[in-house]
Amino acid sequence: YYSPLTVSCSANTTFAPTGTTVTWTAYPSGASGSYSYSWSGTDGMYGSYSSLSTYYNTPGVKYAYVTVYSNGQQTNVQCSNAVTVGYPTGYNYSVTQYTNPQVAYNPNLLQIACFSDKITARIGEPVTWNAEVTGSTGNYTYTWSGTENIFSFQPSAIAMYQKAGSKSAIVTVTSSNGTVQSKACGNSVTIKSNTVAVAKSATPVITAAQPTPAVQATIVTPTTMASLFSLQNVPWGLVGILVILVLLAVIFYLMFNKKKI
């Protein structure tokens, strides 16, 4: 039984002048303890050892990824920090040389503020990252990077995230005199899924009250009374039967009592 394979990696610096090397190192743990490596990243970097020294000759933000294999397990991670490669302070473009090579980087020359316009959003909802820069010279160029590969060359970057989770951004600012500085935005954005569970409540059934039939009052008038006692309303058939029955009764009575009479 082997424990799960876990890996982390990082660079030995967060800024490097152009023309220098940066060392990336992987830190695996778990599995069988015997590991093999496969590196990839910005500017076509590659390698197969636990540490990789990469030479960068173009400015920009550099990223690295490592895949580690051990006993049938495989894990791929992005290194925890990025490296900003830029020209050192005092770089002279006209003669293509360093006029002050001992000063590699001065973080106080640029003051960068970076933030998003919201802290929560839904999948597919636009999120705007903004950068504000002071210091050095007033002409700046911007390069954005971050979660889900957002990218822009403007002072702001608009992202429409397609996966839920926490999102972050980094802006690299280059001034007209060659000063380069990167800044991770001070806040992150939590992207939420568009699927929202809605509890179904029982809808009460309302039965409409049936209207009570109106009772019509009968008004007794002389005309009404006359109609009630009219000869047309007498059941003559029944009267005829009763008369016959009475006559038969009289005849039977006379027949049985003629001696007395």
Side-chain angles (χ1 to χ4, degrees):
Y1 172 77
Y2 297 106
S3 60
L5 174 63
T6 60
V7 183
S8 63
C9 64
S10 61
N12 64 332
T13 183
T14 58
F15 178 86
T18 53
T20 59
T21 58
V22 174
T23 300
W24 301 87
T25 304
Y27 305 96
S29 63
S32 65
S34 177
Y35 309 106
S36 58
Y37 306 85
S38 177
W39 289 89
S40 62
T42 313
D43 293 353
M45 64 174 288
Y46 66 92
S48 56
Y49 296 96
S50 60
S51 294
L52 177 66
S53 294
T54 304
Y55 176 87
Y56 294 109
N57 58 7
T58 58
V61 180
K62 313 299 180 180
Y63 298 93
Y65 309 84
V66 63
T67 301
V68 179
Y69 308 88
S70 179
N71 193 45
Q73 299 185 50
Q74 173 183 334
T75 300
N76 177 267
V77 295
Q78 178 180 339
C79 292
S80 58
N81 63 321
V83 178
T84 300
V85 175
Y87 297 108
T89 303
Y91 184 79
N92 190 326
Y93 293 92
S94 61
V95 297
T96 316
Q97 65 181 8
Y98 298 131
T99 58
N100 189 12
Q102 71 275 12
V103 180
Y105 181 59
N106 187 345
N108 297 320
L109 293 179
L110 290 176
Q111 299 295 325
I112 304 173
C114 174
F115 52 90
S116 64
D117 64 340
K118 59 191 69 174
I119 59 175
T120 60
R122 295 288 182 185
I123 291 177
E125 180 181 350
V127 175
T128 303
W129 298 90
N130 298 285
E132 296 179 358
V133 185
T134 59
S136 188
T137 61
N139 298 319
Y140 310 108
T141 57
Y142 303 83
T143 303
W144 287 88
S145 60
T147 314
E148 293 195 29
N149 300 318
I150 68 169
F151 197 76
S152 175
F153 292 111
Q154 303 299 322
S156 61
I158 299 177
M160 298 179 67
Y161 297 104
Q162 302 304 312
K163 297 179 180 179
S166 179
K167 312 299 179 181
S168 59
I170 300 173
V171 62
T172 299
V173 180
T174 304
S175 66
S176 58
N177 68 357
T179 302
V180 180
Q181 185 169 340
S182 293
K183 176 71 174 181
C185 292
N187 66 321
S188 60
V189 180
T190 300
I191 302 299
K192 299 181 179 180
S193 173
N194 289 324
T195 303
V196 179
V198 179
K200 294 184 178 180
S201 59
T203 303
V205 178
I206 301 175
T207 304
Q210 298 296 325
T212 303
V215 178
Q216 296 182 352
T218 302
I219 301 175
V220 180
T221 63
T223 303
T224 305
M225 294 296 294
S227 63
L228 289 174
F229 293 100
S230 173
L231 294 177
Q232 295 178 355
N233 296 326
V234 176
W236 292 111
L238 181 60
V239 171
I241 294 172
L242 291 175
V243 170
I244 294 171
L245 291 175
V246 170
L247 292 175
L248 291 174
V250 171
I251 293 171
F252 283 115
Y253 178 79
L254 294 175
M255 290 175 63
F256 289 104
N257 295 283
K258 61 183 181 178
K259 291 180 180 182
K260 295 179 180 181
I261 297 174

